Amino acid sequence: MQKTTFTLAEAADVLSCHKETLRRAIQSGDLRAARLGREYRISRADLQVFWTAQGGGELFMPEQMPDAPLPDKTTEAREATAKPRKPAGPEQLTLPT
């Protein structure tokens, strides 16, 4: 399971910077964060947007859908040898003469 929100210290570790740098970015409006009591929470998406705006690349690896089944080779082989299907939709309709 991937982490979706980060504390200021965790976000600073991810970006390899100081917490005060991120605190200043939040106060200037460059980094969006939610304030919970005396602490900040930063979403994964907001951290990525901030990092990209600063000139960084992809911060997190694209996540795979855990529920999506991986295609197996037997299904691919069956689809490759199957007859082409007739088109469904408007191509199948004919106008009366």
Side-chain angles (χ1 to χ4, degrees), residues 7-88:
T7 63
L8 204 57
E10 292 169 339
D13 282 343
V14 169
L15 298 180
S16 300
C17 67
H18 197 274
K19 291 189 309 185
E20 192 59 36
T21 303
L22 295 181
R23 193 175 283 119
R24 278 190 233 122
I26 291 168
Q27 290 172 350
S28 70
D30 293 335
L31 175 60
R32 291 183 53 190
R35 184 143 188 172
L36 297 173
R38 300 180 81 191
E39 292 285 322
Y40 287 106
R41 295 291 187 273
I42 305 165
S43 73
R44 174 183 284 272
D46 289 332
L47 199 57
Q48 178 65 53
V49 168
F50 174 73
W51 180 247
T52 304
Q54 299 302 314
E58 193 67 30
L59 189 57
F60 302 104
M61 297 298 291
E63 56 186 276
Q64 279 187 322
M65 298 296 290
D67 298 333
L70 296 173
D72 60 345
K73 294 180 181 178
T74 57
T75 305
E76 291 175 2
R78 234 181 289 136
E79 290 174 357
T81 58
K83 291 182 188 176
R85 297 177 118 187
K86 291 184 179 178

